[in-house]
Amino acid sequence: MGIVQRDGFKLTVVSYIGLILGYVNKVLLFPNFLDTEQVGLTNIMINIAVIYAQFSALGLNGVVLRFFPFFRDKEKAHHGFLFWTSLLMGGGFVLTTVLFVVCKPLVVTYYSESAKLLVEYYYYIIPLGLATVFFQLYDSYLRSLLKTVVPSFLNEVVLRFLTTVCISLYALKLVDFGHFVMLYVAVNCSMAVMVIAYTFYLRQLFLKPIFSPRIKRLSKHMVGYGLYSILASSGNALIANVDALMIAALMGTQIVNGTQVGGMYFVGIYTTVFFFTTVMLIPYRSILKIASPLVAQHWKEKTMSGMEKLYKQVTAVCLVVGILVFLGIWADFDDIFSFMPKQFASGKYVFLFLSLGRLFDMVTGLNGVITYTSRKYRYDLALTIGLVILTVGLNYVFIRVLDLGMNGAAIATMISIVVYNILKLLLVRYFFGIQPFQKDNIWVVLIGGACFVLNYFIPYFGNVYLDLAVRSVILGSLFLGPILLFRISPEVNDFVIKFLKPFGIRSKFLE
C-alpha cells in the first residue's frame, strides 16, 4: 500500500490542480462564451471518441495490465510487447474508422434535427479517436511500469490548460467557432504525442519487432483475454457515455424560454453537470491507476491475503473522500451554479442521482479490476453485456416513455451502476471469498448522512463567496472531525499525515 499512498497522493494533487483548471473551463468559460448547444458538442465529441477508442483498442488495454508482468524485462525490450500491441491497435483503429465512416448516414438519420452540430463536425471525431486510443495504450503501459504521475499530469493539467487557451482565444474573438473546434481537437490529439515522447524519454519506447518465444507461448491466452476484453471495455465505454447520446437523440427539439432548442442543448447542460460528478472520482481513479498493476501482481504471486487487504484499504479511503466531495458540491450547488447561465441550474437533480451512482461505484472498490484481471473475467463480460442492455433500456424508458428528460437519464445511469456493482461484489465474494467492507464503514455513512441533513439547517450567509466558504468549512469539519479523531478509517489518517508531512506539520490528534 506504500506505493499506492505515495503515488496516489501525487496523482490526487495533480488531479485537483486539473480540477481547478476544469472548473475554470466548465463553469466560467465554456457556459459563458459558448452557446449551450456548442457546449454539448465539445463534450459529446469526447464521449464518442472514448467509445471509438475502446472499439479500436481490441481489448489491448486490459491485455497490457493483465499480461505485461510476464513480459517485463527491459534488457530484452520487454520481448517486443509494446510493438505488437501498438501494431494491433493501429489495425483496430483502421477497422473502426471504416465502420465509423460507413455509419454516418445512420447518424444523420437520428441526429440531423436534434444535433445538427454533431453531424456537421462528425469527421473531427476520427483524429480524436486515434489520439484517445494511443494515449490509453501508452497510459496502460506506463501504469504497468508504475509510471503514472506524468501521464496523469498531461491529461489532467496540460490538456485542461491548453483547453483554457483555446476557449480564451474564442472568447477574445481571435478565432471563430469553427477554428476553435479545430484547435480543441488538435490540443486533445497532442496528449498522445506527449505521452509517447515521455515513454521515449524513459527509454521504454521499444518499437522494434521481436519474435519472442514468450509471446508465442502466451499468445493463445492473450488473444482469448483480448476478445473478451474488447467486449467488456467497449461495453463499459457505452455505459459511461450512452446517456448523453440518448439525450441528444430522444429529447429532440423543444421550446425553452420561448426559444427552440435541440437535443444538444440538453446534452450541454447534462455533460456540464456530469463534470462535477467526476470530481468525486478523482481520488478513486488516482488510486486505481496505482492499484491495478498491484492487483495483477497479486494474481501472479497468488497472494489473496494481500489482495483482500488492498481491496479494503481502497474502499475505506474512497468512501470517506467520496462522501466528503459529494457533500461539498451538493451543499454549495446553488452557489457554484450562480456563476453560470441560469439554464445550467436545471441540472441540480441530475447531479444528485449521478453522484449517488458514482459514490456506490467508488465504495465497491477494486471489484472490477479484480474480476477482469482474474481467470473469471468471462463473468465480468457477461455482466457488462447485461448492463449495456439494461442501461440502454432504462434510458429509453426514463427519457422517452416517462418523459423525465435529463433527470431520467441520470436515474437510469444511477440504477445501472448500482445493479452492476452489486453483481460484481457478489461475484468476487463467491469466487474469491473476499469483500471490501469493514464495520467502521457504517459509521462513515452515518456521519455523512447526518451532515447531508444538517446542510438544510444552515442559513444562507448573504454573500455567495462567504456562503461557499463557511458552508464548506462547517460540513467538512463536522464530517472529517469524528472520522479523524476516532480513527474510524485509519487509512484516511495515514493519508492526511503523509499530506501534512512535507509541511513539517505533525499532530497527535491524527496518530
Side-chain angles (χ1 to χ4, degrees):
M1 190 66 181
I3 296 175
V4 175
Q5 287 180 330
R6 184 184 67 248
D7 284 357
F9 169 73
K10 293 178 182 178
L11 287 169
T12 300
V13 171
V14 165
S15 296
Y16 278 103
I17 294 173
L19 170 63
I20 295 171
L21 291 170
Y23 178 85
V24 170
N25 293 335
K26 294 289 187 178
V27 176
L28 302 180
L29 297 179
F30 274 58
N32 288 295
F33 292 102
L34 296 178
D35 293 340
T36 307
E37 292 193 15
Q38 292 173 335
V39 173
L41 173 69
T42 58
N43 291 331
I44 205 169
M45 286 175 67
I46 301 299
N47 291 355
I48 297 173
V50 170
I51 298 173
Y52 197 121
Q54 293 307 318
F55 281 99
S56 300
L58 302 178
L60 289 168
N61 293 324
V63 170
V64 171
L65 291 173
R66 177 71 177 85
F67 289 97
F68 183 76
F70 298 96
F71 291 87
R72 185 172 182 175
D73 188 339
K74 187 176 181 180
E75 297 300 320
K76 296 182 179 179
H78 305 310
H79 301 275
F81 189 83
L82 182 61
F83 170 80
W84 295 112
T85 51
S86 297
L87 182 66
L88 288 171
M89 191 166 284
F93 172 77
V94 172
L95 292 174
T96 304
T97 300
V98 171
L99 181 63
F100 186 76
V101 173
V102 169
C103 287
K104 186 180 180 182
L106 185 63
V107 173
V108 172
T109 300
Y110 280 97
Y111 291 95
S112 59
E113 291 298 324
S114 61
K116 294 179 181 179
L117 283 175
L118 177 60
V119 175
E120 181 180 350
Y121 291 96
Y122 185 78
Y123 289 116
Y124 284 64
I125 297 171
I126 294 176
L128 273 177
L130 176 64
T132 303
V133 70
F134 275 96
F135 182 89
Q136 290 179 351
L137 171 64
Y138 280 80
D139 181 48
S140 296
Y141 176 62
L142 292 169
R143 282 166 62 184
S144 296
L145 293 169
L146 301 182
K147 300 291 183 180
T148 58
V149 177
V150 171
S152 293
F153 178 76
L154 291 174
N155 195 48
E156 301 288 344
V157 178
V158 177
L159 174 59
R160 289 176 177 175
F161 173 74
L162 293 177
T163 301
T164 303
V165 173
C166 291
I167 188 62
S168 297
L169 291 174
Y170 178 75
L172 294 171
K173 299 182 179 181
L174 297 176
V175 297
D176 60 19
F177 182 70
H179 287 98
F180 162 74
V181 175
M182 293 176 63
L183 289 172
Y184 182 71
V185 171
V187 161
N188 277 273
C189 290
S190 69
M191 295 304 104
V193 177
M194 291 183 189
V195 79
I196 293 172
Y198 176 62
T199 306
F200 176 78
Y201 169 77
L202 294 175
R203 299 184 179 179
Q204 295 284 359
L205 189 65
F206 301 115
L207 292 177
K208 292 183 179 180
I210 297 176
F211 298 92
S212 168
R214 190 165 301 187
I215 288 182
K216 184 177 181 180
R217 186 171 68 250
L218 292 173
S219 61
K220 182 178 179 180
H221 298 288
M222 290 192 294
V223 169
Y225 185 81
L227 290 174
Y228 283 98
S229 184
I230 183 176
L231 294 174
S233 59
S234 300
N236 285 324
L238 283 170
I239 292 161
N241 298 284
V242 73
D243 45 5
L245 292 171
M246 293 187 72
I247 288 171
L250 297 178
M251 293 194 69
T253 57
Q254 299 183 26
I255 303 298
V256 177
N257 296 325
T259 303
Q260 181 174 297
V261 298
M264 292 296 286
Y265 173 90
F266 300 102
V267 171
I269 296 172
Y270 186 90
T271 52
T272 298
V273 174
F274 185 87
F275 163 75
F276 289 92
T277 69
T278 63
V279 175
M280 296 172 56
L281 295 177
I282 287 174
Y284 175 62
R285 288 173 176 170
S286 298
I287 292 175
L288 201 63
K289 286 182 179 181
I290 310 298
S292 295
L294 296 181
V295 170
Q297 194 68 29
H298 282 306
W299 282 126
K300 181 183 178 183
E301 298 172 357
K302 298 180 180 180
T303 53
M304 288 307 297
S305 59
M307 180 90 77
E308 183 172 25
K309 181 179 179 181
L310 181 66
Y311 197 16
K312 292 180 182 295
Q313 288 174 325
V314 169
T315 291
V317 172
C318 288
L319 176 62
V320 173
V321 177
I323 292 177
L324 177 66
V325 178
F326 167 71
L327 286 173
I329 298 175
W330 178 253
D332 295 321
F333 189 93
D334 294 334
D335 291 332
I336 294 171
F337 276 71
S338 67
F339 298 106
M340 305 165 66
K342 61 182 180 180
Q343 63 265 30
F344 285 89
S346 63
K348 182 172 185 175
Y349 289 97
V350 168
F351 171 77
L352 176 62
F353 296 126
L354 287 178
S355 294
L356 293 176
R358 298 301 173 193
L359 183 59
F360 194 81
D361 190 29
M362 290 177 65
V363 302
T364 49
L366 295 173
N367 53 18
V369 179
I370 292 171
T371 52
Y372 76 67
T373 56
S374 74
R375 294 182 178 180
K376 303 296 182 181
Y377 59 85
R378 294 177 178 85
Y379 290 91
D380 187 64
L381 170 62
L383 290 178
T384 301
I385 293 174
L387 182 60
V388 170
I389 297 171
L390 177 65
T391 302
V392 172
L394 287 176
N395 270 280
Y396 183 83
V397 170
F398 282 98
I399 296 173
R400 175 62 66 85
V401 178
L402 298 180
D403 196 24
L404 295 178
M406 297 184 299
N407 290 335
I411 294 170
T413 300
M414 177 189 69
I415 294 172
S416 299
I417 291 173
V418 171
V419 170
Y420 181 52
N421 280 286
I422 288 175
L423 292 175
K424 284 200 293 185
L425 279 172
L426 295 175
L427 189 151
V428 171
R429 177 66 176 173
Y430 178 77
F431 285 111
F432 311 121
I434 60 176
Q435 56 86 26
F437 300 115
Q438 305 171 70
K439 292 180 180 179
D440 289 341
N441 297 151
I442 297 174
W443 288 108
V444 175
V445 174
L446 291 175
I447 295 170
C451 290
F452 180 85
V453 173
L454 180 63
N455 171 59
Y456 291 96
F457 295 92
I458 300 175
Y460 179 67
F461 289 92
N463 177 279
V464 63
Y465 300 101
L466 180 63
D467 191 69
L468 268 168
V470 175
R471 193 177 296 272
S472 298
V473 170
I474 291 174
L475 290 176
S477 300
L478 290 175
F479 177 68
L480 278 181
I483 292 172
L484 295 174
L485 178 62
F486 298 107
R487 293 187 62 84
I488 294 174
S489 292
E491 297 84 359
V492 176
N493 286 63
D494 294 340
F495 183 85
V496 174
I497 290 170
K498 287 181 179 293
F499 178 80
L500 296 177
K501 187 176 181 180
F503 303 99
I505 300 174
R506 294 188 62 184
S507 174
K508 293 182 179 179
F509 169 76
L510 298 172
E511 298 175 355

